[in-house]
Amino acid sequence: MQRLPADVRRGQLLDAALAITAQHGVAALTVRGVAEAAGVSLGVVHYHFEDKEELLTEMGQSLILDVSEAMRMAFSQLVGPLTLRGVPALRELLGAGIRGLWPIIEATPDQQLLTYEITAQSLRQRGAGSESAGAVAARQYRTMDIEAVAFLNLCAHRAGVTWGTPVDQVARFALAVIDGVVLRWLVDRDSDAALTALDDLVQIIAAKAVEDCSW
């Protein structure tokens, strides 16, 4: 077994776990299965991940951060001077970022389904009395909240607006809509309808901002 730096080995194990669950679902995930898929001993997996719950948490966060990175890349294409200011500029920025999600979502339907599976599995186990397993979903959504708030604040700053509604509430609403849009798309694969819904979301979110008089 090749000796690898801890962060590289951890990433390798996450990739193995994601490959297993993308193909067979969360129910098929075991620490032993990850070890076999990665070609390492069971002890190596336990060294990096205390248990299956920790592994699921890291998997969920990894999937979320991949999507957030796609949003940031789309957003970065608008780093130059904006032709608009205020709420119109905010709509432009939000649209670039939120639409920037779509190519990666379309390209990774199995991974998108997996995020829902991780949440459902966690909540099901919480209902059966496992608080540690239930915490997986909470951490998953906490990561999404942090990413969404950071994106919304960046858009508002660049556009020269402030949020008339607390930004954490705006983020919660936006994520709930995106969750629903992606889940519906996984059912019917109607990308045109999904993009129309995301455009509507941009309009609704932008309406929650007010002009910053300091500009």
Side-chain angles (χ1 to χ4, degrees):
M1 181 178 64
Q2 184 181 6
R3 192 172 185 85
L4 297 174
D7 58 336
V8 175
R9 178 67 75 190
R10 193 175 178 90
Q12 179 197 35
L13 297 174
L14 276 175
D15 287 344
L18 288 166
I20 291 169
T21 50
Q23 185 173 3
H24 302 292
V26 172
L29 182 67
T30 64
V31 174
R32 185 175 299 279
V34 172
E36 292 174 356
V40 300
S41 69
L42 197 60
V44 168
V45 183
H46 279 299
Y47 175 79
H48 291 279
F49 300 98
E50 182 177 350
D51 50 28
K52 180 177 174 177
E53 282 71 38
E54 184 181 356
L55 187 55
L56 282 171
T57 297
E58 292 290 329
M59 289 165 59
Q61 290 176 337
S62 175
L63 291 166
I64 292 162
L65 293 174
D66 283 347
V67 173
S68 296
E69 180 60 25
M71 181 184 284
R72 281 192 290 269
M73 287 179 65
F75 183 86
S76 69
Q77 296 174 8
L78 295 175
V79 293
L82 293 173
T83 57
L84 302 170
R85 295 297 307 171
V87 173
L90 179 66
R91 282 195 292 266
E92 181 180 356
L93 293 166
L94 289 171
I98 291 175
R99 270 185 166 259
L101 292 171
W102 206 250
I104 192 171
I105 288 171
E106 279 191 314
T108 58
D110 290 341
Q111 288 89 333
Q112 304 314 312
L113 179 59
L114 182 55
T115 63
Y116 294 100
E117 285 192 78
I118 291 172
T119 302
Q121 176 83 354
S122 170
L123 296 177
R124 187 175 294 111
Q125 290 182 328
R126 185 179 69 182
S130 175
E131 288 300 320
S132 62
V136 171
R139 288 192 290 267
Q140 188 179 4
Y141 273 77
R142 192 176 306 122
T143 299
M144 288 194 288
D145 288 343
I146 291 169
E147 292 291 313
V149 166
F151 172 71
L152 291 171
N153 279 334
L154 182 58
C155 287
H157 175 73
R158 288 213 59 218
V161 302
T162 57
W163 292 107
T165 301
V167 68
D168 58 329
Q169 294 180 22
V170 180
R172 184 184 181 96
F173 169 74
L175 290 171
V177 173
I178 292 170
D179 257 356
V181 169
V182 174
L183 186 57
R184 177 60 187 260
W185 176 80
L186 288 170
V187 173
D188 60 26
R189 302 302 169 96
D190 188 339
S191 292
D192 288 340
L195 287 168
T196 297
L198 292 179
D199 288 342
D200 289 343
L201 173 63
V202 167
Q203 299 299 319
I204 294 169
I205 294 174
K208 298 178 181 293
V210 295
E211 302 285 345
D212 188 341
C213 296
S214 63
W215 285 89

